Amino acid sequence: MDDGLELLTEAECRSLLASGSIGRVGVTVGALPVILPVNYAFVDGTIVFRTAEGTKLRAAVDRAVIAFEVDDYDEVLQRGWSVLAVGHASEVAGEDDLATFRALGLAPWADGTRTHYVRLVPEVLTGRRIVAV
Amino acid sequence: MDDGLELLTEAECRSLLASGSIGRVGVTVGALPVILPVNYAFVDGTIVFRTAEGTKLRAAVDRAVIAFEVDDYDEVLQRGWSVLAVGHASEVAGEDDLATFRALGLAPWADGTRTHYVRLVPEVLTGRRIVAV
């Protein structure tokens, strides 16, 4: 338990990461904390999402330590879970890797050309389950 | 427009903040970025959530600049929105204010005694709407 929340095992965290498609990236932009949603994939232990050339997000995540969070809640039953991954993000550069990630069909919902792939291998992976009392 | 996303007006951001009940707090804990979900209320332009004595979250948010994010997505229609508020957080200390916030009935879902109220008046408030293309 952690402050009234049930801690998840690492296996549960990985399973929940694999089940999601929308996550939130936490980074620092101009000394201010920012949280931005992204759609993502979790492949072979790696979180992958896309960014566009010239965006604040792209500049902020490159070689930075970032937080990545996924959660789900049932507001009626008042229960849910959250998983937090922290680690160094890096742009996918090699053609082999790019081909692999392009094959995921990780299409961003929004318009705009998100041609850059960012990868995060979690160095810290924690999760909590919330059950109403 | 902002990188393929439609920017929301400040009035839309405030309306969406008022419609939500689960948000995510982005802070720095031990030099690492962290994102933690909280349930919250948005009252008179102020975001209010609860933390417990002795927790990492409580220590991290007190007098710190934090990010607070709320979003909602329809995965089938592939559209949604996100709102990001950034500003200085502070614990609610005065008895009058505490009484006001206690009256909100902002019950945390999880067990544990979250006796501390944190307030955030957004200094930066931005929002984006995502529509699939």
Coordinates of all heavy atoms in Angstrom, one line a residue, chain B residues 35-119:
Chain B
I35 N 3.9 12.5 -12.7 CA 2.5 12.8 -13.0 C 1.6 11.9 -12.1 O 1.7 10.7 -12.1 CB 2.1 12.6 -14.4 CG1 3.0 13.4 -15.4 CG2 0.7 12.9 -14.7 CD1 2.8 13.1 -16.9
L36 N 0.8 12.6 -11.3 CA -0.1 11.8 -10.4 C -1.5 12.3 -10.6 O -1.8 13.5 -10.6 CB 0.3 12.0 -8.9 CG 1.7 11.4 -8.6 CD1 2.1 11.8 -7.2 CD2 1.6 9.8 -8.7
P37 N -2.5 11.3 -10.7 CA -3.9 11.7 -10.8 C -4.5 12.1 -9.5 O -4.1 11.6 -8.4 CB -4.6 10.4 -11.3 CG -3.7 9.3 -11.0 CD -2.3 9.9 -10.8
V38 N -5.4 13.1 -9.5 CA -6.1 13.5 -8.3 C -7.5 13.8 -8.7 O -7.8 14.1 -9.8 CB -5.5 14.8 -7.7 CG1 -4.1 14.6 -7.2 CG2 -5.5 16.0 -8.7
N39 N -8.4 13.7 -7.7 CA -9.8 14.2 -8.0 C -9.8 15.7 -7.5 O -9.1 16.0 -6.5 CB -10.9 13.4 -7.5 CG -10.9 13.0 -6.1 OD1 -9.8 12.9 -5.5 ND2 -12.0 12.6 -5.5
Y40 N -10.5 16.5 -8.2 CA -10.4 17.9 -7.9 C -11.7 18.6 -8.1 O -12.7 18.0 -8.6 CB -9.4 18.5 -8.9 CG -9.9 18.7 -10.3 CD1 -10.4 20.0 -10.7 CD2 -10.0 17.7 -11.2 CE1 -10.9 20.1 -12.0 CE2 -10.5 17.8 -12.4 CZ -11.0 19.1 -12.8 OH -11.5 19.2 -14.1
A41 N -11.7 19.9 -7.7 CA -12.9 20.8 -8.0 C -12.3 22.1 -8.6 O -11.2 22.4 -8.3 CB -13.7 21.0 -6.7
F42 N -13.2 22.7 -9.3 CA -12.8 24.0 -9.9 C -13.8 25.0 -9.5 O -15.0 25.0 -9.9 CB -12.7 23.9 -11.4 CG -12.2 25.1 -12.1 CD1 -10.9 25.6 -11.9 CD2 -13.1 25.8 -13.0 CE1 -10.5 26.8 -12.6 CE2 -12.6 27.0 -13.7 CZ -11.3 27.4 -13.4
V43 N -13.4 25.9 -8.5 CA -14.3 26.8 -7.9 C -13.8 28.2 -8.0 O -12.7 28.5 -7.5 CB -14.4 26.4 -6.3 CG1 -15.5 27.2 -5.7 CG2 -14.6 24.9 -6.2
D44 N -14.6 29.1 -8.5 CA -14.3 30.5 -8.6 C -12.9 30.7 -9.2 O -12.0 31.5 -8.7 CB -14.3 31.2 -7.2 CG -15.7 31.2 -6.7 OD1 -16.7 31.2 -7.5 OD2 -15.9 31.3 -5.5
G45 N -12.6 29.9 -10.3 CA -11.3 30.1 -11.0 C -10.1 29.4 -10.3 O -9.0 29.6 -10.7
T46 N -10.4 28.7 -9.2 CA -9.3 28.0 -8.5 C -9.5 26.5 -8.6 O -10.6 26.0 -8.3 CB -9.4 28.4 -7.0 OG1 -9.2 29.8 -6.9 CG2 -8.2 27.8 -6.2
I47 N -8.4 25.8 -8.9 CA -8.4 24.3 -8.9 C -8.0 23.9 -7.4 O -7.0 24.4 -6.9 CB -7.3 23.8 -9.9 CG1 -7.7 24.1 -11.3 CG2 -7.1 22.3 -9.7 CD1 -6.5 24.1 -12.3
V48 N -8.8 23.0 -6.9 CA -8.5 22.5 -5.5 C -8.5 21.0 -5.5 O -9.3 20.3 -6.1 CB -9.7 23.0 -4.6 CG1 -9.3 22.6 -3.1 CG2 -9.9 24.4 -4.7
F49 N -7.4 20.5 -4.9 CA -7.4 19.0 -4.7 C -6.8 18.8 -3.3 O -6.3 19.7 -2.6 CB -6.6 18.3 -5.8 CG -5.2 18.8 -6.0 CD1 -4.1 18.2 -5.3 CD2 -4.8 19.9 -6.8 CE1 -2.8 18.6 -5.4 CE2 -3.5 20.3 -6.9 CZ -2.5 19.7 -6.2
R50 N -6.8 17.5 -2.9 CA -6.4 17.1 -1.5 C -5.1 16.3 -1.6 O -4.9 15.5 -2.5 CB -7.5 16.4 -0.8 CG -8.7 17.2 -0.5 CD -9.9 16.4 -0.1 NE -9.7 15.9 1.3 CZ -10.6 15.4 2.0 NH1 -11.9 15.3 1.6 NH2 -10.4 14.9 3.2
T51 N -4.3 16.5 -0.5 CA -3.2 15.6 -0.4 C -3.1 15.2 1.1 O -3.8 15.8 1.9 CB -1.9 16.3 -0.7 OG1 -1.7 17.4 0.2 CG2 -1.8 16.9 -2.1
A52 N -2.3 14.2 1.3 CA -2.2 13.7 2.7 C -0.9 14.1 3.3 O 0.1 14.3 2.6 CB -2.3 12.1 2.7
E53 N -0.9 14.2 4.6 CA 0.3 14.5 5.4 C 1.4 13.5 5.0 O 1.2 12.3 4.9 CB -0.1 14.3 6.9 CG 1.0 14.6 7.9 CD 1.2 16.1 8.0 OE1 0.2 16.8 8.0 OE2 2.4 16.5 8.2
G54 N 2.6 14.1 4.9 CA 3.8 13.3 4.7 C 4.0 12.6 3.4 O 4.9 11.9 3.2
T55 N 3.1 12.9 2.4 CA 3.3 12.3 1.1 C 4.3 13.1 0.2 O 4.5 14.2 0.4 CB 2.0 12.2 0.4 OG1 1.4 13.5 0.3 CG2 1.0 11.3 1.1
K56 N 4.8 12.4 -0.8 CA 5.6 13.0 -1.7 C 4.9 14.1 -2.5 O 5.4 15.2 -2.7 CB 6.1 12.0 -2.8 CG 7.2 11.0 -2.2 CD 7.6 10.0 -3.3 CE 6.5 9.1 -3.6 NZ 6.9 8.0 -4.5
L57 N 3.6 13.9 -2.8 CA 2.8 14.9 -3.5 C 2.7 16.1 -2.7 O 2.9 17.2 -3.2 CB 1.4 14.3 -3.9 CG 0.5 15.3 -4.6 CD1 1.2 15.7 -6.0 CD2 -0.8 14.7 -4.9
R58 N 2.4 16.0 -1.4 CA 2.2 17.2 -0.6 C 3.5 18.0 -0.5 O 3.5 19.2 -0.7 CB 1.9 16.7 0.9 CG 1.5 18.0 1.7 CD 1.3 17.8 3.1 NE 1.3 19.1 3.7 CZ 1.7 19.4 5.0 NH1 2.0 18.4 5.7 NH2 1.6 20.6 5.4
A59 N 4.6 17.3 -0.3 CA 5.9 18.1 -0.3 C 6.2 18.8 -1.6 O 6.7 19.9 -1.7 CB 7.0 17.1 0.1
A60 N 5.8 18.1 -2.7 CA 6.2 18.6 -4.0 C 5.4 19.8 -4.5 O 5.9 20.6 -5.2 CB 6.1 17.4 -5.0
V61 N 4.1 19.8 -4.1 CA 3.3 20.9 -4.6 C 3.4 22.2 -3.8 O 3.0 23.2 -4.3 CB 1.8 20.4 -4.7 CG1 1.7 19.3 -5.6 CG2 1.2 20.1 -3.3
D62 N 3.8 22.1 -2.5 CA 3.7 23.2 -1.7 C 4.7 24.4 -2.2 O 5.9 24.2 -2.2 CB 4.1 22.9 -0.2 CG 3.7 24.0 0.7 OD1 2.7 24.7 0.4 OD2 4.3 24.1 1.8
R63 N 4.1 25.5 -2.5 CA 4.8 26.6 -3.0 C 5.6 26.4 -4.3 O 6.5 27.1 -4.6 CB 5.6 27.3 -2.0 CG 4.8 28.0 -0.9 CD 5.8 28.7 0.1 NE 6.5 27.7 0.9 CZ 6.1 27.2 2.1 NH1 4.9 27.6 2.6 NH2 6.8 26.3 2.7
A64 N 5.2 25.3 -5.0 CA 5.9 25.0 -6.3 C 5.1 25.4 -7.5 O 3.9 25.5 -7.4 CB 6.2 23.5 -6.3
V65 N 5.8 25.6 -8.6 CA 5.0 25.7 -9.8 C 4.7 24.3 -10.3 O 5.6 23.5 -10.5 CB 5.9 26.5 -10.9 CG1 5.1 26.5 -12.2 CG2 6.2 27.9 -10.4
I66 N 3.4 24.1 -10.5 CA 3.0 22.7 -11.0 C 2.2 22.8 -12.2 O 1.7 23.9 -12.6 CB 2.1 22.0 -9.9 CG1 0.8 22.7 -9.7 CG2 2.9 22.0 -8.5 CD1 -0.2 21.9 -8.8
A67 N 2.1 21.7 -12.9 CA 1.2 21.6 -14.1 C 0.0 20.8 -13.7 O 0.1 19.9 -12.9 CB 1.9 20.9 -15.2
F68 N -1.2 21.2 -14.2 CA -2.4 20.4 -13.9 C -3.1 20.2 -15.2 O -3.4 21.2 -15.9 CB -3.3 21.3 -12.9 CG -4.5 20.5 -12.5 CD1 -4.5 19.7 -11.5 CD2 -5.7 20.7 -13.2 CE1 -5.7 19.0 -11.1 CE2 -6.9 20.1 -12.9 CZ -6.8 19.2 -11.8
E69 N -3.4 19.0 -15.5 CA -4.0 18.7 -16.8 C -5.3 17.9 -16.7 O -5.4 17.0 -15.8 CB -3.0 17.8 -17.6 CG -3.3 17.7 -19.1 CD -3.9 16.3 -19.4 OE1 -4.2 15.5 -18.5 OE2 -4.1 16.0 -20.6
V70 N -6.2 18.2 -17.5 CA -7.5 17.5 -17.6 C -7.7 17.2 -19.1 O -7.5 18.0 -19.9 CB -8.7 18.3 -17.0 CG1 -10.0 17.5 -17.1 CG2 -8.4 18.8 -15.6
D71 N -8.2 16.0 -19.4 CA -8.5 15.7 -20.8 C -9.7 14.7 -20.9 O -10.1 14.1 -19.9 CB -7.3 15.2 -21.5 CG -6.7 13.9 -20.9 OD1 -7.5 13.0 -20.6 OD2 -5.5 13.8 -20.8
D72 N -10.2 14.6 -22.0 CA -11.2 13.5 -22.3 C -11.1 13.1 -23.8 O -10.9 14.0 -24.6 CB -12.6 14.1 -21.9 CG -13.6 12.9 -21.9 OD1 -13.2 11.8 -21.5 OD2 -14.8 13.2 -22.1
Y73 N -11.2 11.9 -24.0 CA -11.1 11.4 -25.4 C -12.2 10.3 -25.7 O -12.6 9.6 -24.8 CB -9.7 10.7 -25.6 CG -8.6 11.7 -25.5 CD1 -8.0 11.9 -24.3 CD2 -8.3 12.5 -26.6 CE1 -7.0 12.9 -24.2 CE2 -7.4 13.4 -26.5 CZ -6.7 13.7 -25.3 OH -5.8 14.6 -25.3
D74 N -12.6 10.3 -26.9 CA -13.4 9.3 -27.4 C -12.6 8.5 -28.4 O -12.2 8.9 -29.4 CB -14.6 9.9 -28.1 CG -15.6 8.8 -28.6 OD1 -15.2 7.8 -29.1 OD2 -16.8 9.0 -28.4
E75 N -12.2 7.3 -27.9 CA -11.3 6.5 -28.7 C -11.9 5.9 -30.0 O -11.2 5.7 -30.9 CB -10.7 5.3 -27.8 CG -10.0 5.8 -26.6 CD -8.9 4.9 -26.1 OE1 -8.5 4.0 -26.8 OE2 -8.5 5.2 -24.9
V76 N -13.2 5.8 -30.0 CA -13.8 5.3 -31.2 C -13.9 6.5 -32.3 O -13.5 6.3 -33.4 CB -15.3 4.8 -30.9 CG1 -16.0 4.4 -32.2 CG2 -15.2 3.6 -30.0
L77 N -14.3 7.6 -31.8 CA -14.4 8.7 -32.8 C -13.1 9.4 -33.0 O -12.9 10.3 -33.9 CB -15.4 9.8 -32.3 CG -16.9 9.3 -32.2 CD1 -17.8 10.3 -31.6 CD2 -17.4 8.8 -33.6
Q78 N -12.1 9.1 -32.1 CA -10.8 9.6 -32.2 C -10.8 11.1 -32.2 O -10.2 11.9 -33.0 CB -10.0 9.2 -33.5 CG -9.8 7.7 -33.5 CD -8.6 7.3 -34.4 OE1 -8.2 8.0 -35.3 NE2 -8.0 6.2 -34.0
R79 N -11.5 11.6 -31.1 CA -11.4 13.1 -30.9 C -11.5 13.3 -29.4 O -11.9 12.5 -28.6 CB -12.5 13.8 -31.7 CG -13.9 13.4 -31.2 CD -14.9 14.1 -32.1 NE -16.3 13.8 -31.7 CZ -17.4 14.0 -32.4 NH1 -17.3 14.5 -33.6 NH2 -18.6 13.7 -31.9
G80 N -11.1 14.5 -29.0 CA -11.1 14.8 -27.6 C -10.5 16.2 -27.4 O -10.4 17.0 -28.3
W81 N -10.2 16.5 -26.1 CA -9.6 17.8 -25.8 C -8.7 17.6 -24.6 O -8.8 16.6 -23.8 CB -10.8 18.7 -25.4 CG -11.7 18.2 -24.4 CD1 -12.9 17.5 -24.6 CD2 -11.6 18.3 -22.9 NE1 -13.4 17.2 -23.3 CE2 -12.7 17.7 -22.3 CE3 -10.6 18.9 -22.1 CZ2 -12.8 17.6 -21.0 CZ3 -10.7 18.8 -20.7 CH2 -11.9 18.2 -20.2
S82 N -7.9 18.6 -24.4 CA -7.1 18.6 -23.2 C -6.9 20.1 -22.7 O -6.9 21.0 -23.6 CB -5.7 18.0 -23.4 OG -4.9 18.8 -24.2
V83 N -6.9 20.3 -21.4 CA -6.6 21.6 -20.9 C -5.5 21.5 -19.9 O -5.4 20.6 -19.1 CB -7.9 22.1 -20.1 CG1 -7.6 23.4 -19.3 CG2 -9.0 22.4 -21.1
L84 N -4.6 22.5 -20.0 CA -3.4 22.5 -19.2 C -3.3 23.9 -18.4 O -3.4 24.9 -19.0 CB -2.1 22.4 -20.0 CG -0.8 22.6 -19.3 CD1 -0.5 21.4 -18.4 CD2 0.3 22.7 -20.4
A85 N -3.2 23.7 -17.1 CA -3.1 24.9 -16.2 C -1.7 24.8 -15.6 O -1.3 23.8 -15.1 CB -4.2 24.9 -15.2
V86 N -1.0 26.0 -15.5 CA 0.3 26.0 -14.9 C 0.3 27.2 -13.9 O -0.2 28.3 -14.3 CB 1.4 26.2 -15.9 CG1 2.8 26.2 -15.2 CG2 1.4 25.0 -16.9
G87 N 0.8 27.0 -12.7 CA 0.9 28.1 -11.8 C 1.5 27.7 -10.5 O 1.9 26.5 -10.3
H88 N 1.6 28.6 -9.5 CA 2.1 28.3 -8.2 C 1.0 27.6 -7.4 O -0.1 28.2 -7.2 CB 2.5 29.6 -7.5 CG 3.8 30.2 -8.0 ND1 3.8 30.9 -9.2 CD2 5.0 30.1 -7.6 CE1 5.0 31.3 -9.4 NE2 5.8 30.8 -8.5
A89 N 1.3 26.5 -6.8 CA 0.4 25.8 -5.9 C 0.7 26.3 -4.5 O 1.8 26.6 -4.2 CB 0.6 24.3 -6.0
S90 N -0.3 26.2 -3.7 CA -0.1 26.6 -2.3 C -1.1 25.8 -1.4 O -2.3 25.6 -1.9 CB -0.2 28.1 -2.0 OG -1.5 28.5 -2.4
E91 N -0.7 25.5 -0.2 CA -1.7 24.8 0.7 C -2.7 25.8 1.2 O -2.3 27.0 1.5 CB -0.9 24.2 1.8 CG -0.8 22.7 1.7 CD -0.5 22.0 3.0 OE1 -1.2 22.2 3.9 OE2 0.4 21.2 3.0
V92 N -3.9 25.4 1.4 CA -4.9 26.3 1.9 C -4.7 26.3 3.4 O -4.7 25.2 4.1 CB -6.3 25.7 1.6 CG1 -7.4 26.6 2.2 CG2 -6.5 25.7 0.0
A93 N -4.5 27.4 4.0 CA -4.2 27.5 5.4 C -5.3 28.1 6.3 O -5.6 27.7 7.3 CB -2.9 28.2 5.6
G94 N -5.9 29.2 5.8 CA -6.8 29.9 6.6 C -8.1 29.1 6.9 O -8.6 28.4 6.0
E95 N -8.6 29.3 8.1 CA -9.8 28.5 8.5 C -11.0 28.8 7.6 O -11.8 27.9 7.3 CB -10.1 28.8 9.9 CG -9.5 27.8 10.9 CD -9.7 26.3 10.5 OE1 -10.8 25.9 10.3 OE2 -8.7 25.6 10.5
D96 N -11.2 30.1 7.2 CA -12.3 30.4 6.3 C -12.2 29.7 5.0 O -13.2 29.1 4.5 CB -12.3 31.9 6.0 CG -12.7 32.7 7.3 OD1 -13.1 32.1 8.3 OD2 -12.7 33.9 7.2
D97 N -11.0 29.7 4.4 CA -10.8 29.0 3.1 C -11.0 27.5 3.3 O -11.7 26.8 2.5 CB -9.4 29.3 2.6 CG -9.4 30.7 2.0 OD1 -10.4 31.3 1.8 OD2 -8.2 31.2 1.7
L98 N -10.5 27.0 4.4 CA -10.6 25.5 4.6 C -12.1 25.1 4.7 O -12.5 24.1 4.1 CB -9.8 25.1 5.9 CG -8.4 24.9 5.7 CD1 -7.7 24.7 7.1 CD2 -8.1 23.6 4.8
A99 N -12.8 26.0 5.4 CA -14.2 25.7 5.6 C -14.9 25.7 4.2 O -15.8 24.8 3.9 CB -14.9 26.7 6.5
T100 N -14.6 26.6 3.4 CA -15.1 26.7 2.0 C -14.9 25.4 1.2 O -15.7 24.8 0.6 CB -14.6 27.9 1.3 OG1 -14.8 29.1 2.0 CG2 -15.2 28.0 -0.1
F101 N -13.6 25.0 1.3 CA -13.2 23.9 0.4 C -13.7 22.6 1.0 O -14.1 21.7 0.3 CB -11.7 23.8 0.3 CG -11.2 25.0 -0.6 CD1 -10.0 25.7 -0.2 CD2 -11.8 25.4 -1.7 CE1 -9.6 26.8 -1.0 CE2 -11.4 26.4 -2.5 CZ -10.2 27.1 -2.1
R102 N -13.8 22.5 2.4 CA -14.4 21.3 3.0 C -15.8 21.1 2.5 O -16.3 20.0 2.3 CB -14.3 21.3 4.5 CG -12.9 21.1 5.0 CD -12.9 21.0 6.6 NE -11.5 21.0 7.0 CZ -11.0 21.9 7.9 NH1 -11.8 22.8 8.4 NH2 -9.7 21.8 8.3
A103 N -16.5 22.3 2.4 CA -17.9 22.2 2.0 C -18.2 21.7 0.6 O -19.3 21.4 0.2 CB -18.5 23.6 2.2
L104 N -17.1 21.7 -0.2 CA -17.2 21.2 -1.6 C -17.6 19.7 -1.6 O -18.0 19.2 -2.6 CB -15.9 21.4 -2.3 CG -15.5 22.8 -2.6 CD1 -14.1 22.7 -3.3 CD2 -16.5 23.4 -3.6
G105 N -17.3 19.0 -0.5 CA -17.5 17.6 -0.5 C -16.5 16.9 -1.5 O -16.9 15.9 -2.2
L106 N -15.3 17.4 -1.5 CA -14.3 16.9 -2.4 C -13.7 15.6 -1.8 O -12.6 15.7 -1.3 CB -13.3 17.9 -2.7 CG -12.2 17.6 -3.7 CD1 -12.7 17.4 -5.0 CD2 -11.2 18.8 -3.7
A107 N -14.4 14.5 -1.7 CA -14.0 13.3 -1.1 C -13.0 12.6 -2.0 O -13.3 12.3 -3.1 CB -15.1 12.4 -0.7
P108 N -11.8 12.3 -1.4 CA -10.8 11.5 -2.2 C -11.4 10.1 -2.3 O -12.0 9.6 -1.3 CB -9.5 11.6 -1.4 CG -10.0 11.9 0.0 CD -11.3 12.6 -0.1
W109 N -11.2 9.4 -3.4 CA -11.7 8.1 -3.6 C -10.9 7.1 -2.7 O -11.4 6.2 -2.2 CB -11.5 7.6 -5.0 CG -12.4 8.4 -5.9 CD1 -13.3 9.4 -5.6 CD2 -12.4 8.3 -7.3 NE1 -13.9 9.9 -6.7 CE2 -13.4 9.3 -7.8 CE3 -11.8 7.5 -8.3 CZ2 -13.7 9.4 -9.2 CZ3 -12.1 7.7 -9.6 CH2 -13.0 8.6 -10.0
A110 N -9.6 7.3 -2.6 CA -8.8 6.3 -2.0 C -8.8 6.5 -0.4 O -9.2 7.5 0.1 CB -7.3 6.5 -2.4
D111 N -8.4 5.4 0.2 CA -8.3 5.4 1.7 C -7.2 6.3 2.1 O -6.4 6.8 1.2 CB -8.1 4.0 2.1 CG -8.5 3.8 3.6 OD1 -8.9 4.8 4.2 OD2 -8.4 2.7 4.1
G112 N -7.0 6.6 3.3 CA -5.9 7.4 3.8 C -6.5 8.8 4.1 O -7.5 9.2 3.5
T113 N -5.9 9.5 5.0 CA -6.4 10.8 5.4 C -5.8 11.9 4.6 O -4.7 12.3 4.9 CB -6.1 10.9 6.9 OG1 -5.8 9.7 7.5 CG2 -7.2 11.6 7.6
R114 N -6.5 12.4 3.7 CA -6.0 13.5 2.9 C -6.6 14.8 3.4 O -7.5 15.4 3.0 CB -6.4 13.3 1.4 CG -5.6 12.3 0.7 CD -6.0 11.9 -0.7 NE -5.1 11.0 -1.3 CZ -4.9 9.8 -0.9 NH1 -5.6 9.3 0.1 NH2 -4.0 9.0 -1.5
T115 N -5.9 15.3 4.5 CA -6.5 16.4 5.2 C -6.0 17.8 4.7 O -6.5 18.8 5.2 CB -6.1 16.3 6.7 OG1 -4.6 16.0 6.8 CG2 -6.8 15.2 7.4
H116 N -5.1 17.7 3.8 CA -4.6 19.0 3.3 C -5.2 19.4 1.9 O -5.3 18.5 1.0 CB -3.0 18.9 3.1 CG -2.4 18.7 4.5 ND1 -1.9 19.7 5.3 CD2 -2.1 17.5 5.1 CE1 -1.4 19.2 6.4 NE2 -1.5 17.8 6.3
Y117 N -5.5 20.6 1.8 CA -6.1 21.1 0.5 C -5.0 22.0 -0.2 O -4.4 22.8 0.4 CB -7.3 22.0 0.8 CG -8.5 21.2 1.2 CD1 -8.6 20.7 2.5 CD2 -9.5 20.9 0.3 CE1 -9.7 20.0 2.9 CE2 -10.6 20.2 0.7 CZ -10.7 19.7 2.0 OH -11.8 19.0 2.4
V118 N -4.9 21.7 -1.5 CA -4.0 22.5 -2.3 C -4.8 23.3 -3.3 O -5.7 22.8 -3.9 CB -3.0 21.6 -3.0 CG1 -2.0 22.4 -3.9 CG2 -2.1 20.8 -2.0
R119 N -4.4 24.5 -3.5 CA -5.1 25.4 -4.4 C -4.1 25.8 -5.5 O -2.9 26.1 -5.2 CB -5.6 26.6 -3.6 CG -5.2 27.9 -4.1 CD -6.0 29.0 -3.4 NE -5.7 29.2 -2.0 CZ -6.5 29.8 -1.1 NH1 -7.6 30.3 -1.5 NH2 -6.1 29.9 0.1

